[in-house]
Amino acid sequence: IPPTAWAPGTGAAYRKFGLRGSSALAVAGVAAWLRLEQRAVRECRIVLGAVHETPFLASRASDAVAGRELTPEILHQAAEIASGECSPISDLRGSADYRRELVQVLTRRALEGASERARSGGSHE
């Protein structure tokens, strides 16, 4: 982890959806880390879990957020991009289409959580 990863103005959050509660395997999960300068996002990383065979860095979605203020429109745009750039697996826990929908919702929620933490002093969840 780079020294600036947990510096003031940074925040991280992870959101997942599982079929049987918090201890269940995730059907989809999204981790978001960002660094704010004033109101704008200077750096952003969005990582998708349980939608590929390995965790996947959603680089286009991350880039769509960087340099911008996290407005509802930007959150929606980033969520759509993340959903579009992943190629979800289908298995007993969920179809590819279902996972793609979950990625949209979880990306928005993870970015909101990371932003709240960055604004509140850099706490992480």
Side-chain angles (χ1 to χ4, degrees):
I1 296 176
T4 59
W6 306 126
T10 65
Y14 176 70
R15 300 292 182 262
K16 78 171 189 173
F17 177 81
L19 295 177
R20 285 181 239 120
S22 63
S23 64
L25 291 174
V27 176
V30 176
W33 173 89
L34 52 81
R35 180 173 62 88
L36 297 178
E37 282 182 7
Q38 298 179 7
R39 297 181 59 90
V41 176
R42 290 296 163 220
E43 294 179 80
C44 179
R45 302 292 182 275
I46 300 168
V47 178
L48 312 179
V51 294
H52 289 271
E53 293 185 12
T54 60
F56 173 77
L57 175 63
S59 58
R60 290 192 336 241
S62 300
D63 291 345
V65 173
R68 303 170 88 176
E69 187 176 334
L70 279 183
T71 64
E73 294 79 22
I74 297 303
L75 288 168
H76 179 76
Q77 180 182 7
E80 282 191 336
I81 292 170
S83 175
E85 74 179 296
C86 70
S87 299
I89 60 173
S90 287
D91 64 15
L92 294 173
R93 292 176 285 143
S95 69
D97 289 338
Y98 184 55
R99 282 186 161 95
R100 199 171 282 111
E101 291 294 321
L102 286 172
V103 164
Q104 277 195 14
V105 172
L106 296 173
T107 297
R108 183 181 45 78
R109 290 179 183 174
L111 285 169
E112 288 170 339
S115 176
E116 288 172 17
R117 285 173 183 77
R119 288 187 178 115
S120 69
S123 59
H124 307 283
E125 180 180 287

